[in-house]
Amino acid sequence: MTRLLLPLEHAPHTAAALDDDALLHALKRLPRRVQQVFLLNRLDQLDFAAIAARLDLPLLSIERHMNQVLQAARPHGDGLAGVAGQWYVRLQSPQVTACERIDFRRWLDAAPAHLEAFHQTELSWRSLLGPARQLGHDDWYRQGRAALSLGGCSIAIGLGVAALFALGFWA
């Protein structure tokens, strides 16, 4: 797989590439958990297993979240790009098997369009670094589950206030 990856200094110069503002907007529309998984991977360079352990999520959820990010970063209606994105994410998983790597190689060799779609997926992934830095500028994504929602906290506070009323301590 490493020989398929492009050099880091290769910048996306395609007409289909979205600009940073459009990518940032697309990332902001994703659920907070998806954003958090993406930022932990992209900015902190944590692998899927480390993210899964840190957030107490199954590896398949991490893969699904990363697929959502790539889907948001590509033009809609491009089915081949979707398949390339799925392969790109799956190959990063520690659960990828040798058979899957062989299947990927067969898919890649089946048509020149497959290689081009995978190449564009790599470029798309690289183009997400700038918007990722903007999205995670205040490091909110490094906090645990409590940082994502106040729902559980609100319930606890509500129960505490109800208990105070019930016991007559609230006056």
Side-chain angles (χ1 to χ4, degrees):
M1 158 114 177
T2 55
R3 70 178 181 187
L4 293 174
L5 298 177
L6 299 170
L8 288 176
E9 60 273 359
H10 192 308
H13 295 293
T14 63
L18 299 173
D19 67 0
D20 280 357
D21 290 337
L23 288 172
L24 180 61
H25 183 68
L27 291 174
K28 284 182 176 180
R29 286 193 318 250
L30 293 170
R32 290 291 269 190
R33 174 63 72 197
V34 174
Q35 293 176 25
Q36 184 182 32
V37 167
F38 165 66
L39 294 173
L40 286 170
N41 179 263
R42 193 68 179 113
L43 297 181
D44 292 359
Q45 299 179 350
L46 296 179
D47 63 17
F48 289 8
I51 296 169
R54 182 173 182 162
L55 300 178
D56 193 28
L57 293 172
L59 275 168
L60 287 177
S61 291
I62 303 302
E63 286 184 45
R64 188 175 63 250
H65 293 334
M66 295 302 286
N67 271 318
Q68 283 181 272
V69 171
L70 281 174
Q71 297 297 327
R74 71 177 173 83
H76 295 291
D78 189 352
L80 194 53
V83 174
Q86 290 173 352
W87 275 119
Y88 189 81
V89 169
R90 183 63 186 158
L91 291 171
Q92 294 179 53
S93 174
Q95 293 181 332
V96 68
T97 65
C99 290
E100 288 173 312
R101 289 185 186 279
I102 291 168
D103 288 343
F104 165 70
R105 192 68 224 186
R106 287 182 182 148
W107 175 82
L108 201 64
D109 293 340
H114 294 180
L115 180 60
E116 178 62 25
F118 194 77
H119 175 77
Q120 289 302 319
T121 299
E122 290 178 311
L123 292 176
S124 178
W125 179 250
R126 296 224 170 96
S127 71
L128 290 173
L129 183 57
R133 287 180 178 144
Q134 289 178 305
L135 184 63
H137 69 88
D138 58 357
D139 293 340
W140 65 266
Y141 65 94
R142 290 187 175 129
Q143 299 168 4
R145 288 180 180 261
L148 297 178
S149 161
L150 293 177
C153 185
S154 299
I155 292 171
I157 290 172
L159 290 174
V161 169
L164 287 175
F165 274 123
L167 296 175
F169 291 119
W170 194 271

